[in-house]
Amino acid sequence: MKVWRYAGLMLTYRCNAACRFCYYYCGPQADGLLPTELAVQAWAALRRLAGPSAKIHLTGGEPFLVFDRLLEICQEAQRRGLGGADYVETNAGWVGDETETRRCLRALDETGLKRLKISWDVFHAEFVPADKVRLLVRLAQEELGPDRVLVRWQHWLNALDDTAALGESERLAVMRQAMAEEGGRFTGRAAETLGTLFADQSPDELIGRHCQRSILGAKGVHIDPYGNVFSGQCSGMAVGNLHTTGLDALWKGFDPDASDFWKTLCQAGPGGFLEPTRVLGYEPQARYASKCHLCTDIRRFFFDKGRYLSIICPNECYGTQGV
Ligand code: SF4
Ligand code: SF4
């Protein structure tokens, strides 16, 4: 199993946006707040695991909606000698007053933050006006320096002010293009809202597409506000929870062969669940966009049935809380 070298600390599932391509169901009604101590312990554990190459980023939801917690975690990590975060990821939707925005950026800068990553594309554009993004880019470049500000994706910012003027079919065509370009994964809300746009493979065609590389070869993890640890980008299925096991102990102790859920995914992929779940009443859709789309559909079935309770979680990955 590859050593985890990065951890994305998800401060909250709350977000000013509710993007169609979200891997979770983040939105204004979603919740959760990552405890500072849990976050800093995970940070320290990653340093023990990966040494100086450990990289921590802070994300959400929208982490600036819980700015006090964001700052507290960065300050505490600095106080314990863990270094600055690699980056904080934001959609710029929180930006309003220029002075307040500068104050937030300076405060993070003082904790040793290396970069600010501003995410914006056709999906974010449904919720965050381009002008806010441009304002944050300018202020961040002035406060942190241009080299420390990443815009993902600059070409969308150049090309698209907002999607309000687009009709739904035109908008979907642009989203289809973005999903292909950005390599988006059909899990969480993305599976529900975009999966059918791309659905061109029968469940049987997805049999045998195993996930060994995604699970055992993941370069890092995401840690949600409740301490759930997701391998790489595989949201909604926890390899463990930091409230009971430290991150380095989790990595050392993770044994897919000891759990039929992980063993099936590693050896056969989500297609390996088709036969056993059909017996339980699962009815697959006619077509899926990818194995991750099928995986999400089957996990939703497990979630509804209360199966694999310690793995299939939390509500915010299955759309049962918030929007
Ligand atoms: S993709 Fe990011 S900005 Fe969009 S709803 Fe999810 S967390 Fe919020
Ligand atoms: S199919 Fe499931 S386990 Fe495999 S990579 Fe996709 S989300 Fe992860």
Side-chain angles (χ1 to χ4, degrees):
M1 182 153 148
K2 228 183 184 97
V3 173
W4 294 333
R5 298 194 179 280
Y6 79 81
L9 303 178
M10 299 171 59
L11 269 63
T12 178
Y13 280 109
R14 189 146 58 89
C15 190
N16 49 290
C19 303
R20 301 191 205 200
F21 87 144
C22 193
Y23 292 175
Y24 315 95
Y25 276 81
C26 294
Q29 312 306 324
D31 217 342
L33 185 61
L34 184 65
T36 301
E37 186 56 31
L38 204 71
V40 178
Q41 280 180 13
W43 196 319
L46 192 77
R47 285 292 296 266
R48 288 196 294 275
L49 257 184
S53 65
K55 287 196 173 4
I56 291 283
H57 66 273
L58 296 105
T59 184
E62 172 48 60
F64 280 83
L65 294 184
V66 290
F67 183 75
D68 289 350
R69 180 57 52 91
L70 170 63
L71 185 59
E72 187 176 75
I73 291 171
C74 292
Q75 286 173 334
E76 190 55 25
Q78 187 188 41
R79 199 181 68 74
R80 296 191 199 180
L82 297 171
D86 192 42
Y87 62 88
V88 173
E89 190 170 23
T90 178
N91 65 30
W94 55 279
V95 172
D97 179 69
E98 196 170 316
T99 308
E100 178 60 11
T101 304
R102 286 186 191 276
R103 184 191 71 78
C104 292
L105 293 171
R106 279 182 202 148
L108 287 173
D109 190 22
E110 283 168 12
T111 69
L113 171 70
K114 296 188 179 69
R115 296 175 294 168
L116 185 74
K117 182 168 165 184
I118 303 169
S119 299
W120 197 84
D121 60 12
V122 62
F123 302 105
H124 297 88
E126 293 196 286
F127 300 92
V128 182
D131 283 349
K132 275 198 185 212
V133 183
R134 292 195 184 102
L135 175 60
L136 181 59
V137 172
R138 178 172 66 78
L139 297 178
Q141 286 181 341
E142 287 171 9
E143 293 296 333
L144 308 175
D147 293 348
R148 291 169 62 201
V149 182
L150 306 174
V151 183
R152 195 172 178 266
W153 307 83
Q154 182 67 52
H155 70 277
W156 284 116
L157 203 50
N158 297 339
L160 192 75
D161 263 351
D162 62 56
T163 55
L166 301 177
E168 182 67 1
S169 61
E170 202 178 353
R171 189 179 304 203
L172 288 177
V174 179
M175 288 180 173
R176 179 191 283 267
Q177 178 197 339
M179 209 65 184
E181 278 176 17
E182 296 172 18
R185 185 171 285 197
F186 296 97
T187 184
R189 189 185 289 121
E192 184 183 327
T193 60
L194 299 170
T196 50
L197 281 181
F198 291 81
D200 58 0
Q201 297 168 82
S202 71
D204 287 348
E205 285 176 86
L206 295 165
I207 289 174
R209 306 240 186 120
H210 69 77
C211 299
Q212 188 159 353
R213 196 181 304 166
S214 300
I215 295 164
L216 297 184
K219 292 181 185 144
V221 292
H222 282 85
I223 296 163
D224 90 346
Y226 309 117
N228 294 308
V229 179
F230 304 137
S231 173
Q233 307 286 347
C234 296
S235 59
M237 51 189 134
V239 296
N241 188 290
L242 296 189
H243 284 289
T244 54
T245 316
L247 190 67
D248 42 353
L250 245 185
W251 178 82
K252 285 175 192 143
F254 183 60
D255 176 11
D257 287 342
S259 145
D260 71 297
F261 179 84
W262 294 113
K263 191 172 171 182
T264 301
L265 279 181
C266 282
Q267 294 185 352
F273 289 118
L274 278 169
E275 274 319 303
T277 49
R278 273 186 175 121
V279 173
L280 297 170
Y282 172 67
E283 291 180 19
Q285 299 172 25
R287 293 270 184 276
Y288 290 96
S290 66
K291 68 173 180 177
C292 299
H293 187 196
L294 170 64
C295 183
T296 305
D297 199 39
I298 289 178
R299 282 186 283 110
R300 180 178 297 284
F301 175 80
F302 288 146
F303 181 84
D304 291 343
K305 293 276 181 205
R307 298 226 161 204
Y308 302 115
L309 272 176
S310 63
I311 297 174
I312 307 292
C313 62
N315 293 353
E316 286 89 339
C317 288
Y318 295 93
T320 58
Q321 182 183 327
V323 288

